[in-house]
Amino acid sequence: MTLYEELVARGLIAQVTSEKEVSDLINNGKATFYIGFDPTADSLHVGHFMALMLMRRLQKAGNKPIALIGGGTAMIGDPSGRTDMRQMMTRETIQHNCDCFKVQMSKFIDFSDDKALMVNNADWLLDLNYVDFMRDIGPCFSVNNMLRADCYKQRMEKGLSFLEFNYMLMQSYDFYRLYLDKGCNMQFGGNDQWSNMLGGTELIRKKLGKDAHAMTITLLLTSEGKKMGKTAGGAVWLDPEKTSPYEFYQYWRNVEDADVLNCLRMLTELPLEQINEMSTWKDAKLNEAKEILAFELTKLVHSEEDAVKAQETARALFGGGGTAEMPTTEIGMDALTDGKADIIKLLVLSGLCSSNGDARRNIQQGGVSANDEKVTDISVSFTESQLRDGVVLKRGKKNFNRIVLK
């Protein structure tokens, strides 16, 4: 099986502009390709993970990845897949986020000896002269065609600013500049980026002639990637300071049954033969497949040691046992009243509930337990002695926290 055939078999390829040329370049290690990342936070999240793993796979086969950080386009905001306008960020915030991205990406991609590049489109976009840019690039785009693109159509009724309307030109110009400056001959992106990527391919051909080899590939995003890592507690980050290895493990351990095999194929480095054998697994065996998924991804993002600890913690917890590396909240004596702390306060302090009212609702609906015993009384409290030993709180099936008195 060739590399391109493997990518197809793993469900990673949705559309391409020229399949034979694309597959030849990839299979022979001749592709210099880019994937864009918007620096909208100071950490990558699970929604970025498929792109990182794709870059890793292709680089191992001799292809050259370019990680394009959208420091310039982040000043505008991509309307694709959005129903509202993205919040503006300062240049300082964007630069800080870009710096954080490079540190995290280096764990997946080898940037040594020019094997991969990281570039920031702020380097060329922020110094553009508007009139010169529009005279040079504007004639290559049809407004009628742009308005037919899905990324714009879905925003027309609610309102699309002219600022955002420029995004396709900016992204297309990125590919054009990378083609000229870095020899980039291929671009990858999520399925919501197809129109923007086609714009880049067409711009190169219009500016440089039909013989210019610029290829476009769309990734088929998993449902997990599409959700951008959103859970009840917020985004699932790759930064262990934002999402602990245990929480990261639990996120993947609790994916929907229907998503397990797709996630294993798209996101792990396990052989396809091994994954395909799991297609008949059901019930307890399917839970084993989820454990494998969670372990493999935690090992990739954090370390094998972290993956082992997270797995041991989860097994001990679900088996009614120890607490190992479970997320822990330390509280001081000032959190106690008359030597006790009530369950509502502890749920809020631990972050398991957002407010006192949220805590009450969860208790009354039967969604809270303490030390494996369901809590039904909102007046339950814990003594100083109990808190020094540690109280394990659980909200729902996925959210745990151990409260310890310092």
Side-chain angles (χ1 to χ4, degrees), residues 314-348:
R315 287 176 174 174
L317 188 58
F318 283 108
T323 55
E325 297 298 317
M326 186 188 308
T328 298
T329 299
E330 292 186 341
I331 62 173
M333 288 296 296
D334 58 345
L336 277 61
T337 302
D338 296 330
K340 296 181 179 180
D342 63 75
I343 184 70
I344 290 177
K345 176 181 284 189
L346 294 180
L347 286 168
V348 175

PDB file of all heavy atoms in Angstrom, residues 314-348:
ATOM      1  N   ALA A 314      -7.652   5.981  35.718  1.00  0.00           N
ATOM      2  CA  ALA A 314      -9.006   5.730  35.220  1.00  0.00           C
ATOM      3  C   ALA A 314      -9.501   4.351  35.632  1.00  0.00           C
ATOM      4  O   ALA A 314     -10.637   4.191  36.081  1.00  0.00           O
ATOM      5  CB  ALA A 314      -9.034   5.879  33.698  1.00  0.00           C
ATOM      6  N   ARG A 315      -8.641   3.365  35.503  1.00  0.00           N
ATOM      7  CA  ARG A 315      -9.054   2.000  35.863  1.00  0.00           C
ATOM      8  C   ARG A 315      -9.319   1.890  37.356  1.00  0.00           C
ATOM      9  O   ARG A 315     -10.279   1.241  37.781  1.00  0.00           O
ATOM     10  CB  ARG A 315      -7.970   1.001  35.442  1.00  0.00           C
ATOM     11  CG  ARG A 315      -7.910   0.782  33.938  1.00  0.00           C
ATOM     12  CD  ARG A 315      -6.755  -0.136  33.553  1.00  0.00           C
ATOM     13  NE  ARG A 315      -6.788  -0.457  32.138  1.00  0.00           N
ATOM     14  CZ  ARG A 315      -5.836  -1.147  31.509  1.00  0.00           C
ATOM     15  NH1 ARG A 315      -4.772  -1.583  32.197  1.00  0.00           N
ATOM     16  NH2 ARG A 315      -5.933  -1.410  30.231  1.00  0.00           N
ATOM     17  N   ALA A 316      -8.457   2.514  38.160  1.00  0.00           N
ATOM     18  CA  ALA A 316      -8.648   2.469  39.612  1.00  0.00           C
ATOM     19  C   ALA A 316      -9.926   3.183  40.002  1.00  0.00           C
ATOM     20  O   ALA A 316     -10.689   2.713  40.852  1.00  0.00           O
ATOM     21  CB  ALA A 316      -7.451   3.101  40.316  1.00  0.00           C
ATOM     22  N   LEU A 317     -10.186   4.307  39.359  1.00  0.00           N
ATOM     23  CA  LEU A 317     -11.354   5.101  39.707  1.00  0.00           C
ATOM     24  C   LEU A 317     -12.641   4.406  39.328  1.00  0.00           C
ATOM     25  O   LEU A 317     -13.580   4.298  40.109  1.00  0.00           O
ATOM     26  CB  LEU A 317     -11.270   6.462  39.023  1.00  0.00           C
ATOM     27  CG  LEU A 317     -12.316   7.497  39.425  1.00  0.00           C
ATOM     28  CD1 LEU A 317     -12.244   7.743  40.924  1.00  0.00           C
ATOM     29  CD2 LEU A 317     -12.094   8.788  38.677  1.00  0.00           C
ATOM     30  N   PHE A 318     -12.682   3.891  38.103  1.00  0.00           N
ATOM     31  CA  PHE A 318     -13.896   3.205  37.658  1.00  0.00           C
ATOM     32  C   PHE A 318     -14.094   1.890  38.389  1.00  0.00           C
ATOM     33  O   PHE A 318     -15.193   1.366  38.454  1.00  0.00           O
ATOM     34  CB  PHE A 318     -13.866   2.978  36.144  1.00  0.00           C
ATOM     35  CG  PHE A 318     -14.188   4.215  35.361  1.00  0.00           C
ATOM     36  CD1 PHE A 318     -13.202   4.882  34.658  1.00  0.00           C
ATOM     37  CD2 PHE A 318     -15.482   4.719  35.342  1.00  0.00           C
ATOM     38  CE1 PHE A 318     -13.501   6.031  33.945  1.00  0.00           C
ATOM     39  CE2 PHE A 318     -15.786   5.861  34.637  1.00  0.00           C
ATOM     40  CZ  PHE A 318     -14.794   6.528  33.938  1.00  0.00           C
ATOM     41  N   GLY A 319     -12.986   1.378  38.944  1.00  0.00           N
ATOM     42  CA  GLY A 319     -13.108   0.144  39.717  1.00  0.00           C
ATOM     43  C   GLY A 319     -13.349   0.415  41.183  1.00  0.00           C
ATOM     44  O   GLY A 319     -13.344  -0.500  41.993  1.00  0.00           O
ATOM     45  N   GLY A 320     -13.531   1.700  41.523  1.00  0.00           N
ATOM     46  CA  GLY A 320     -13.800   2.057  42.909  1.00  0.00           C
ATOM     47  C   GLY A 320     -12.555   2.112  43.766  1.00  0.00           C
ATOM     48  O   GLY A 320     -12.621   2.028  44.979  1.00  0.00           O
ATOM     49  N   GLY A 321     -11.380   2.274  43.116  1.00  0.00           N
ATOM     50  CA  GLY A 321     -10.136   2.234  43.861  1.00  0.00           C
ATOM     51  C   GLY A 321      -9.494   3.589  44.066  1.00  0.00           C
ATOM     52  O   GLY A 321     -10.146   4.583  44.331  1.00  0.00           O
ATOM     53  N   GLY A 322      -8.173   3.622  43.872  1.00  0.00           N
ATOM     54  CA  GLY A 322      -7.364   4.785  44.224  1.00  0.00           C
ATOM     55  C   GLY A 322      -7.540   5.991  43.338  1.00  0.00           C
ATOM     56  O   GLY A 322      -8.372   6.037  42.447  1.00  0.00           O
ATOM     57  N   THR A 323      -6.702   6.986  43.593  1.00  0.00           N
ATOM     58  CA  THR A 323      -6.850   8.273  42.926  1.00  0.00           C
ATOM     59  C   THR A 323      -5.665   8.628  42.051  1.00  0.00           C
ATOM     60  O   THR A 323      -5.763   9.525  41.230  1.00  0.00           O
ATOM     61  CB  THR A 323      -7.017   9.385  43.974  1.00  0.00           C
ATOM     62  OG1 THR A 323      -5.922   9.347  44.873  1.00  0.00           O
ATOM     63  CG2 THR A 323      -8.308   9.204  44.735  1.00  0.00           C
ATOM     64  N   ALA A 324      -4.511   7.982  42.221  1.00  0.00           N
ATOM     65  CA  ALA A 324      -3.328   8.158  41.383  1.00  0.00           C
ATOM     66  C   ALA A 324      -3.140   9.606  40.940  1.00  0.00           C
ATOM     67  O   ALA A 324      -2.992  10.493  41.751  1.00  0.00           O
ATOM     68  CB  ALA A 324      -3.414   7.215  40.190  1.00  0.00           C
ATOM     69  N   GLU A 325      -3.158   9.832  39.605  1.00  0.00           N
ATOM     70  CA  GLU A 325      -2.869  11.166  39.069  1.00  0.00           C
ATOM     71  C   GLU A 325      -4.132  11.963  38.741  1.00  0.00           C
ATOM     72  O   GLU A 325      -4.143  12.807  37.852  1.00  0.00           O
ATOM     73  CB  GLU A 325      -2.010  11.027  37.812  1.00  0.00           C
ATOM     74  CG  GLU A 325      -0.658  10.396  38.052  1.00  0.00           C
ATOM     75  CD  GLU A 325       0.201  11.226  38.987  1.00  0.00           C
ATOM     76  OE1 GLU A 325       0.218  12.462  38.828  1.00  0.00           O
ATOM     77  OE2 GLU A 325       0.850  10.644  39.852  1.00  0.00           O
ATOM     78  N   MET A 326      -5.210  11.698  39.428  1.00  0.00           N
ATOM     79  CA  MET A 326      -6.456  12.413  39.181  1.00  0.00           C
ATOM     80  C   MET A 326      -6.280  13.918  39.401  1.00  0.00           C
ATOM     81  O   MET A 326      -5.526  14.330  40.282  1.00  0.00           O
ATOM     82  CB  MET A 326      -7.532  11.895  40.142  1.00  0.00           C
ATOM     83  CG  MET A 326      -8.916  12.466  39.898  1.00  0.00           C
ATOM     84  SD  MET A 326     -10.054  11.980  41.203  1.00  0.00           S
ATOM     85  CE  MET A 326      -9.814  10.233  41.225  1.00  0.00           C
ATOM     86  N   PRO A 327      -6.975  14.758  38.599  1.00  0.00           N
ATOM     87  CA  PRO A 327      -6.925  16.205  38.853  1.00  0.00           C
ATOM     88  C   PRO A 327      -7.299  16.508  40.302  1.00  0.00           C
ATOM     89  O   PRO A 327      -8.278  15.978  40.820  1.00  0.00           O
ATOM     90  CB  PRO A 327      -7.975  16.755  37.882  1.00  0.00           C
ATOM     91  CG  PRO A 327      -8.031  15.751  36.787  1.00  0.00           C
ATOM     92  CD  PRO A 327      -7.797  14.416  37.437  1.00  0.00           C
ATOM     93  N   THR A 328      -6.498  17.342  40.946  1.00  0.00           N
ATOM     94  CA  THR A 328      -6.668  17.612  42.372  1.00  0.00           C
ATOM     95  C   THR A 328      -6.772  19.107  42.624  1.00  0.00           C
ATOM     96  O   THR A 328      -6.065  19.904  42.007  1.00  0.00           O
ATOM     97  CB  THR A 328      -5.486  17.034  43.175  1.00  0.00           C
ATOM     98  OG1 THR A 328      -5.451  15.612  43.004  1.00  0.00           O
ATOM     99  CG2 THR A 328      -5.615  17.358  44.655  1.00  0.00           C
ATOM    100  N   THR A 329      -7.665  19.483  43.514  1.00  0.00           N
ATOM    101  CA  THR A 329      -7.801  20.874  43.943  1.00  0.00           C
ATOM    102  C   THR A 329      -7.455  20.962  45.422  1.00  0.00           C
ATOM    103  O   THR A 329      -8.046  20.257  46.243  1.00  0.00           O
ATOM    104  CB  THR A 329      -9.240  21.380  43.724  1.00  0.00           C
ATOM    105  OG1 THR A 329      -9.559  21.318  42.339  1.00  0.00           O
ATOM    106  CG2 THR A 329      -9.379  22.816  44.220  1.00  0.00           C
ATOM    107  N   GLU A 330      -6.475  21.791  45.733  1.00  0.00           N
ATOM    108  CA  GLU A 330      -6.102  21.982  47.132  1.00  0.00           C
ATOM    109  C   GLU A 330      -6.834  23.208  47.683  1.00  0.00           C
ATOM    110  O   GLU A 330      -6.891  24.247  47.035  1.00  0.00           O
ATOM    111  CB  GLU A 330      -4.590  22.187  47.254  1.00  0.00           C
ATOM    112  CG  GLU A 330      -3.783  20.943  46.909  1.00  0.00           C
ATOM    113  CD  GLU A 330      -2.295  21.138  47.174  1.00  0.00           C
ATOM    114  OE1 GLU A 330      -1.863  22.311  47.267  1.00  0.00           O
ATOM    115  OE2 GLU A 330      -1.579  20.136  47.311  1.00  0.00           O
ATOM    116  N   ILE A 331      -7.398  23.074  48.870  1.00  0.00           N
ATOM    117  CA  ILE A 331      -8.102  24.195  49.497  1.00  0.00           C
ATOM    118  C   ILE A 331      -7.454  24.502  50.846  1.00  0.00           C
ATOM    119  O   ILE A 331      -6.782  23.651  51.442  1.00  0.00           O
ATOM    120  CB  ILE A 331      -9.600  23.898  49.686  1.00  0.00           C
ATOM    121  CG1 ILE A 331      -9.810  22.690  50.614  1.00  0.00           C
ATOM    122  CG2 ILE A 331     -10.278  23.659  48.341  1.00  0.00           C
ATOM    123  CD1 ILE A 331     -11.266  22.455  50.977  1.00  0.00           C
ATOM    124  N   GLY A 332      -7.629  25.716  51.307  1.00  0.00           N
ATOM    125  CA  GLY A 332      -7.083  26.114  52.600  1.00  0.00           C
ATOM    126  C   GLY A 332      -8.151  26.098  53.681  1.00  0.00           C
ATOM    127  O   GLY A 332      -9.339  25.879  53.412  1.00  0.00           O
ATOM    128  N   MET A 333      -7.738  26.356  54.904  1.00  0.00           N
ATOM    129  CA  MET A 333      -8.673  26.363  56.024  1.00  0.00           C
ATOM    130  C   MET A 333      -9.737  27.443  55.880  1.00  0.00           C
ATOM    131  O   MET A 333     -10.836  27.327  56.438  1.00  0.00           O
ATOM    132  CB  MET A 333      -7.896  26.574  57.334  1.00  0.00           C
ATOM    133  CG  MET A 333      -7.064  25.378  57.776  1.00  0.00           C
ATOM    134  SD  MET A 333      -8.078  23.930  58.182  1.00  0.00           S
ATOM    135  CE  MET A 333      -8.994  24.546  59.603  1.00  0.00           C
ATOM    136  N   ASP A 334      -9.428  28.484  55.088  1.00  0.00           N
ATOM    137  CA  ASP A 334     -10.405  29.560  54.913  1.00  0.00           C
ATOM    138  C   ASP A 334     -11.629  29.122  54.119  1.00  0.00           C
ATOM    139  O   ASP A 334     -12.639  29.824  54.079  1.00  0.00           O
ATOM    140  CB  ASP A 334      -9.755  30.764  54.234  1.00  0.00           C
ATOM    141  CG  ASP A 334      -9.143  30.416  52.883  1.00  0.00           C
ATOM    142  OD1 ASP A 334      -8.972  29.212  52.591  1.00  0.00           O
ATOM    143  OD2 ASP A 334      -8.838  31.346  52.127  1.00  0.00           O
ATOM    144  N   ALA A 335     -11.542  27.925  53.487  1.00  0.00           N
ATOM    145  CA  ALA A 335     -12.690  27.408  52.735  1.00  0.00           C
ATOM    146  C   ALA A 335     -13.673  26.680  53.658  1.00  0.00           C
ATOM    147  O   ALA A 335     -14.775  26.317  53.235  1.00  0.00           O
ATOM    148  CB  ALA A 335     -12.222  26.459  51.629  1.00  0.00           C
ATOM    149  N   LEU A 336     -13.272  26.477  54.930  1.00  0.00           N
ATOM    150  CA  LEU A 336     -14.116  25.761  55.881  1.00  0.00           C
ATOM    151  C   LEU A 336     -14.905  26.742  56.749  1.00  0.00           C
ATOM    152  O   LEU A 336     -14.443  27.835  57.060  1.00  0.00           O
ATOM    153  CB  LEU A 336     -13.276  24.854  56.773  1.00  0.00           C
ATOM    154  CG  LEU A 336     -12.882  23.475  56.230  1.00  0.00           C
ATOM    155  CD1 LEU A 336     -12.048  23.601  54.977  1.00  0.00           C
ATOM    156  CD2 LEU A 336     -12.120  22.683  57.303  1.00  0.00           C
ATOM    157  N   THR A 337     -16.091  26.333  57.125  1.00  0.00           N
ATOM    158  CA  THR A 337     -16.920  27.082  58.066  1.00  0.00           C
ATOM    159  C   THR A 337     -17.264  26.162  59.235  1.00  0.00           C
ATOM    160  O   THR A 337     -17.846  25.091  59.018  1.00  0.00           O
ATOM    161  CB  THR A 337     -18.223  27.571  57.390  1.00  0.00           C
ATOM    162  OG1 THR A 337     -17.880  28.380  56.259  1.00  0.00           O
ATOM    163  CG2 THR A 337     -19.059  28.379  58.366  1.00  0.00           C
ATOM    164  N   ASP A 338     -16.871  26.585  60.412  1.00  0.00           N
ATOM    165  CA  ASP A 338     -17.077  25.736  61.597  1.00  0.00           C
ATOM    166  C   ASP A 338     -16.473  24.351  61.405  1.00  0.00           C
ATOM    167  O   ASP A 338     -17.049  23.325  61.785  1.00  0.00           O
ATOM    168  CB  ASP A 338     -18.575  25.612  61.918  1.00  0.00           C
ATOM    169  CG  ASP A 338     -19.188  26.948  62.299  1.00  0.00           C
ATOM    170  OD1 ASP A 338     -18.456  27.789  62.854  1.00  0.00           O
ATOM    171  OD2 ASP A 338     -20.396  27.142  62.022  1.00  0.00           O
ATOM    172  N   GLY A 339     -15.285  24.318  60.762  1.00  0.00           N
ATOM    173  CA  GLY A 339     -14.569  23.052  60.601  1.00  0.00           C
ATOM    174  C   GLY A 339     -15.090  22.156  59.500  1.00  0.00           C
ATOM    175  O   GLY A 339     -14.666  21.001  59.394  1.00  0.00           O
ATOM    176  N   LYS A 340     -15.995  22.676  58.639  1.00  0.00           N
ATOM    177  CA  LYS A 340     -16.566  21.852  57.571  1.00  0.00           C
ATOM    178  C   LYS A 340     -16.634  22.651  56.268  1.00  0.00           C
ATOM    179  O   LYS A 340     -16.609  23.889  56.275  1.00  0.00           O
ATOM    180  CB  LYS A 340     -17.973  21.379  57.944  1.00  0.00           C
ATOM    181  CG  LYS A 340     -18.035  20.460  59.152  1.00  0.00           C
ATOM    182  CD  LYS A 340     -19.473  20.037  59.418  1.00  0.00           C
ATOM    183  CE  LYS A 340     -19.568  19.103  60.614  1.00  0.00           C
ATOM    184  NZ  LYS A 340     -20.982  18.687  60.870  1.00  0.00           N
ATOM    185  N   ALA A 341     -16.742  21.918  55.158  1.00  0.00           N
ATOM    186  CA  ALA A 341     -16.975  22.537  53.846  1.00  0.00           C
ATOM    187  C   ALA A 341     -18.129  21.797  53.191  1.00  0.00           C
ATOM    188  O   ALA A 341     -18.133  20.560  53.134  1.00  0.00           O
ATOM    189  CB  ALA A 341     -15.731  22.464  52.976  1.00  0.00           C
ATOM    190  N   ASP A 342     -19.136  22.535  52.706  1.00  0.00           N
ATOM    191  CA  ASP A 342     -20.309  21.867  52.131  1.00  0.00           C
ATOM    192  C   ASP A 342     -20.065  21.459  50.687  1.00  0.00           C
ATOM    193  O   ASP A 342     -19.184  21.986  50.003  1.00  0.00           O
ATOM    194  CB  ASP A 342     -21.552  22.759  52.234  1.00  0.00           C
ATOM    195  CG  ASP A 342     -21.414  24.041  51.449  1.00  0.00           C
ATOM    196  OD1 ASP A 342     -21.515  23.991  50.215  1.00  0.00           O
ATOM    197  OD2 ASP A 342     -21.217  25.105  52.084  1.00  0.00           O
ATOM    198  N   ILE A 343     -20.851  20.518  50.229  1.00  0.00           N
ATOM    199  CA  ILE A 343     -20.684  19.917  48.906  1.00  0.00           C
ATOM    200  C   ILE A 343     -20.815  20.945  47.788  1.00  0.00           C
ATOM    201  O   ILE A 343     -20.100  20.887  46.785  1.00  0.00           O
ATOM    202  CB  ILE A 343     -21.710  18.766  48.712  1.00  0.00           C
ATOM    203  CG1 ILE A 343     -21.496  18.055  47.366  1.00  0.00           C
ATOM    204  CG2 ILE A 343     -23.125  19.284  48.799  1.00  0.00           C
ATOM    205  CD1 ILE A 343     -20.242  17.246  47.281  1.00  0.00           C
ATOM    206  N   ILE A 344     -21.719  21.912  47.942  1.00  0.00           N
ATOM    207  CA  ILE A 344     -21.920  22.922  46.893  1.00  0.00           C
ATOM    208  C   ILE A 344     -20.659  23.762  46.711  1.00  0.00           C
ATOM    209  O   ILE A 344     -20.200  23.990  45.595  1.00  0.00           O
ATOM    210  CB  ILE A 344     -23.141  23.800  47.225  1.00  0.00           C
ATOM    211  CG1 ILE A 344     -24.414  22.985  47.070  1.00  0.00           C
ATOM    212  CG2 ILE A 344     -23.174  25.031  46.326  1.00  0.00           C
ATOM    213  CD1 ILE A 344     -25.678  23.725  47.447  1.00  0.00           C
ATOM    214  N   LYS A 345     -20.079  24.204  47.827  1.00  0.00           N
ATOM    215  CA  LYS A 345     -18.855  25.001  47.742  1.00  0.00           C
ATOM    216  C   LYS A 345     -17.731  24.203  47.093  1.00  0.00           C
ATOM    217  O   LYS A 345     -16.973  24.719  46.257  1.00  0.00           O
ATOM    218  CB  LYS A 345     -18.432  25.463  49.136  1.00  0.00           C
ATOM    219  CG  LYS A 345     -17.102  26.216  49.141  1.00  0.00           C
ATOM    220  CD  LYS A 345     -16.679  26.649  50.529  1.00  0.00           C
ATOM    221  CE  LYS A 345     -17.482  27.849  50.991  1.00  0.00           C
ATOM    222  NZ  LYS A 345     -16.953  28.418  52.258  1.00  0.00           N
ATOM    223  N   LEU A 346     -17.606  22.920  47.452  1.00  0.00           N
ATOM    224  CA  LEU A 346     -16.530  22.093  46.906  1.00  0.00           C
ATOM    225  C   LEU A 346     -16.707  21.856  45.409  1.00  0.00           C
ATOM    226  O   LEU A 346     -15.722  21.828  44.655  1.00  0.00           O
ATOM    227  CB  LEU A 346     -16.472  20.758  47.646  1.00  0.00           C
ATOM    228  CG  LEU A 346     -16.081  20.831  49.128  1.00  0.00           C
ATOM    229  CD1 LEU A 346     -16.057  19.442  49.733  1.00  0.00           C
ATOM    230  CD2 LEU A 346     -14.722  21.509  49.300  1.00  0.00           C
ATOM    231  N   LEU A 347     -17.935  21.682  44.964  1.00  0.00           N
ATOM    232  CA  LEU A 347     -18.174  21.495  43.531  1.00  0.00           C
ATOM    233  C   LEU A 347     -17.761  22.719  42.732  1.00  0.00           C
ATOM    234  O   LEU A 347     -17.208  22.614  41.634  1.00  0.00           O
ATOM    235  CB  LEU A 347     -19.655  21.168  43.270  1.00  0.00           C
ATOM    236  CG  LEU A 347     -20.117  19.763  43.659  1.00  0.00           C
ATOM    237  CD1 LEU A 347     -21.646  19.679  43.616  1.00  0.00           C
ATOM    238  CD2 LEU A 347     -19.503  18.709  42.732  1.00  0.00           C
ATOM    239  N   VAL A 348     -18.002  23.894  43.290  1.00  0.00           N
ATOM    240  CA  VAL A 348     -17.629  25.142  42.604  1.00  0.00           C
ATOM    241  C   VAL A 348     -16.120  25.361  42.678  1.00  0.00           C
ATOM    242  O   VAL A 348     -15.480  25.700  41.670  1.00  0.00           O
ATOM    243  CB  VAL A 348     -18.392  26.338  43.214  1.00  0.00           C
ATOM    244  CG1 VAL A 348     -17.901  27.646  42.589  1.00  0.00           C
ATOM    245  CG2 VAL A 348     -19.891  26.179  42.996  1.00  0.00           C
TER     246      VAL A 348
END
